[in-house]
Amino acid sequence: MSGTASYATPAPTQSLVMTHHHLHSSPETCHWGFFEARLKPVLTIASGDEVTIDTISGGPEVVPDRGKFHVPSELFDVHAKNERMVPGHILTGPIAVEGAAPGDVLEVEILDVRLRQDWATI
């Protein structure tokens, strides 16, 4: 987190209690190369909760030398265990919000972004 205070601004029916979740990237929480509305959520949260989401990136053909760059170990697990549907990104999620229904508008506030890898590809 950025070190700045963050808080939920509750509606009259919401609780002041906010839970922090950490969603790690893994073969069980990631899918590769597609968006699909029918995927089952890997995490369900309450409105107002905070989530730290770990992400990974890069197919096996672009992973650099581990001796020179930081490569999260779970990237290799996802390569080995998850089917690459089409060329595309590795996505962590989806996340469901309790009580949200199709057609609802959800507000997502990004509090901080921290890079986990010290390399990239184009």
Side-chain angles (χ1 to χ4, degrees):
M1 295 300 177
S2 64
T4 59
S6 63
Y7 55 92
T9 306
T13 59
Q14 286 182 315
S15 167
L16 291 174
V17 177
M18 176 178 44
T19 301
H20 182 267
H21 307 268
H22 193 148
L23 180 55
H24 297 278
S25 50
S26 72
E28 295 74 34
T29 62
C30 291
H31 54 285
W32 192 358
F34 66 98
F35 291 99
E36 175 54 63
R38 293 178 290 182
L39 284 174
K40 292 191 184 335
V42 298
L43 175 66
T44 300
I45 65 170
S47 179
D49 285 358
E50 281 189 4
V51 183
T52 298
I53 303 170
D54 289 345
T55 61
I56 52 178
S57 186
E61 68 281 358
V62 298
V63 175
D65 181 345
R66 290 181 81 176
K68 297 179 182 176
F69 296 93
H70 171 69
V71 180
S73 60
E74 66 269 25
L75 179 60
F76 299 103
D77 292 336
V78 169
H79 289 169
K81 297 176 182 174
N82 292 49
E83 182 181 357
R84 185 182 206 171
M85 299 302 286
V86 295
H89 295 284
I90 300 170
L91 305 173
T92 307
I95 299 173
V97 178
E98 292 174 356
D104 287 352
V105 175
L106 303 179
E107 178 181 355
V108 176
E109 183 179 352
I110 298 173
L111 302 176
D112 193 11
V113 175
R114 294 186 186 191
L115 301 178
R116 295 184 67 220
Q117 299 176 181
D118 55 0
W119 56 276
T121 62
I122 52 171

